[in-house]
Amino acid sequence: KQIDMVVCQSKDMAKDFVDIFNIPRHKITIINNPITQSIPLRNSNESNNKIVRFITVGRLSKEKGQLRILKALSKLNFSFHYTLIGDGPYKEKINEAIESYNLKDSVTQIPFTKEVSKYISESDLFLQGSYVEGFPNTVLESCFVGTPVLAFNVPGGTKEILQHQVNGYLVENEEEYLHYLNNRLPLKPKDIRASVATKFNEDTIIKQYEALFK
């Protein structure tokens, strides 16, 4: 009751604060997270006749949906490699799934790294499997690097970053997810970056905070 304003990172988060936590609407404002790093743009699109490189970065947990990503990958009929960066309570279940889907030779697991941007820039497609999100910073980072993102249209800020077939793919179900794993468009890194560079740059977000404080 003593708080003047609650800053939410996404529209869905703001809606939850009003509908679930009964915060008065006039005490809610939405300001997304900014891009705060100077990250080099990836060199080019994926080339033909090579292994396709997928990547996911995030906590290994039920809500992050790594298990349904692995299920989709198990249905592919082309050569790929999947890098999974993160640690968490679902690590054992994920290892079991990798084993049961016979993906052991196609998956590299990295519990922690300070070179997330480097790994993303070396990948052809960032895979998000989340059932719910707050504001997915790694999705924003992937777009800024120039690597397209494949994600489910779920509650949270993902849909405020992704533009379907512009900087990635926003799908409604696992069937559509598998479709875009198999049918990737030649999205250009510079166009992917441009889709987020202005909206989420530091200056833009700082001005929103300054306006709020004033």
Side-chain angles (χ1 to χ4, degrees):
K1 291 180 180 179
Q2 295 177 6
I3 290 172
D4 296 310
M5 189 65 68
V6 177
V7 179
C8 296
Q9 295 168 306
S10 68
K11 293 175 183 177
D12 284 346
M13 194 182 293
K15 188 175 184 300
D16 282 350
F17 267 82
V18 173
D19 296 346
I20 299 172
F21 300 106
N22 299 312
I23 305 297
R25 192 173 294 275
H26 70 271
K27 286 191 173 187
I28 301 288
T29 189
I30 301 166
I31 301 179
N32 301 130
N33 282 353
I35 299 161
T36 58
Q37 301 179 58
S38 178
I39 308 169
L41 185 68
R42 62 176 299 197
N43 290 329
S44 62
N45 290 313
E46 57 187 282
S47 58
N48 296 323
N49 303 317
K50 66 164 188 157
I51 294 176
V52 180
R53 299 163 299 181
F54 300 122
I55 189 168
T56 297
V57 182
R59 187 167 182 263
L60 307 183
S61 59
K62 182 179 180 180
E63 68 274 10
K64 292 297 185 182
Q66 289 97 350
L67 291 180
R68 63 174 171 174
I69 292 176
L70 290 168
K71 179 182 176 183
L73 292 176
S74 71
K75 298 177 181 179
L76 298 181
N77 294 318
F78 57 83
S79 297
F80 68 87
H81 193 85
Y82 179 43
T83 300
L84 184 53
I85 299 176
D87 204 352
Y90 254 50
K91 185 173 184 177
E92 190 172 329
K93 289 181 183 292
I94 287 168
N95 285 335
E96 289 171 358
I98 291 169
E99 197 74 43
S100 66
Y101 290 134
N102 197 28
L103 293 175
K104 200 170 181 181
D105 293 337
S106 301
V107 178
T108 296
Q109 294 188 71
I110 303 171
F112 174 80
T113 177
K114 291 183 178 180
E115 297 185 307
V116 169
S117 297
K118 173 179 172 289
Y119 282 102
I120 294 176
S121 67
E122 292 172 351
S123 301
D124 299 310
L125 187 63
F126 186 105
L127 305 181
Q128 188 193 60
S130 299
Y131 292 94
V132 65
E133 274 291 344
F135 187 83
N137 295 316
T138 51
V139 168
L140 179 57
E141 185 174 344
S142 185
C143 289
F144 194 65
V145 164
T147 298
V149 178
L150 172 58
F152 291 94
N153 185 10
V154 297
T158 302
K159 55 184 171 286
E160 293 175 42
I161 301 170
L162 286 190
Q163 300 173 50
H164 186 62
Q165 296 188 0
V166 174
N167 55 12
Y169 318 95
L170 200 59
V171 303
E172 300 297 332
N173 51 54
E174 293 182 6
E175 184 180 352
E176 288 184 13
Y177 201 90
L178 183 60
H179 171 77
Y180 284 106
L181 280 173
N182 280 302
N183 299 278
R184 297 174 308 284
L185 300 174
L187 303 177
K188 296 179 180 178
K190 64 181 179 64
D191 294 337
I192 296 170
R193 169 174 281 195
S195 71
V196 298
T198 302
K199 183 179 179 182
F200 300 103
N201 74 46
E202 248 178 357
D203 290 341
T204 299
I205 303 301
I206 286 172
K207 284 176 183 176
Q208 292 175 27
Y209 274 104
E210 287 176 341
L212 171 65
F213 295 148
K214 288 175 181 177

